[in-house]
Every structure is written in C-alpha cells, then in structure tokens.
Amino acid sequence: MLRFVIIPQALKPMMAPYVNQSVTQLKNTSLVSVIAVPDLVYNATLVNADTYRPLEVYTVVALIYFAILFPATLIGRRLERGMTYDKA
C-alpha cells in the first residue's frame, strides 16, 4: 500500500520544493568544490592577480556558474510542470 498509494501521492507535492532547494543549495555553495576540484573563485582570484583583468576573469567564472545552474533550473521547472496536481 505504501509503494502504490502513499508514495506516489507524497512525491508530487514534494518534488517542486525539493528541486528548488537543490538549485538553491548549488547556488549557495561553491559548485566546484562539490565536484571535487579546487575552488573556482579562488583560482579566478589567482588569475586576476597575475593578469590584472578582473572583468574578463570574473565574467568567465559567472558564465561557468550559469552553465551549471541554468540547465538545473530548467530541469526543475520541467519536473514541476510534469508533477502538478490539483489540491481540490
């Protein structure tokens, strides 16, 4: 009964907040440390110290973060749309 009745009913309302929380967690933590490579911002600071070009360096960092987070956000939206339910 748990597998066929309760879990499917519980998954629909909890999927959207879970995906949103996951995306928020990715934004709040250093993404690169999550995938076990040195911190991206720290390395950008080192490159910036060598090149004195902060706009270009931090723009590339922002693009990398965007490339990781934007698809995750789109997947979350698609999951939310596919898992909508009526509360009535």
Side-chain angles (χ1 to χ4, degrees), residues 42-74:
Y42 175 74
N43 285 333
T45 305
L46 294 178
V47 171
N48 183 32
D50 289 340
T51 62
Y52 301 107
R53 300 182 67 99
L55 181 65
E56 291 88 351
V57 171
Y58 290 116
T59 300
V60 169
V61 170
L63 290 173
I64 291 171
Y65 276 112
F66 182 78
I68 294 171
L69 290 174
F70 187 67
T73 304
L74 290 178

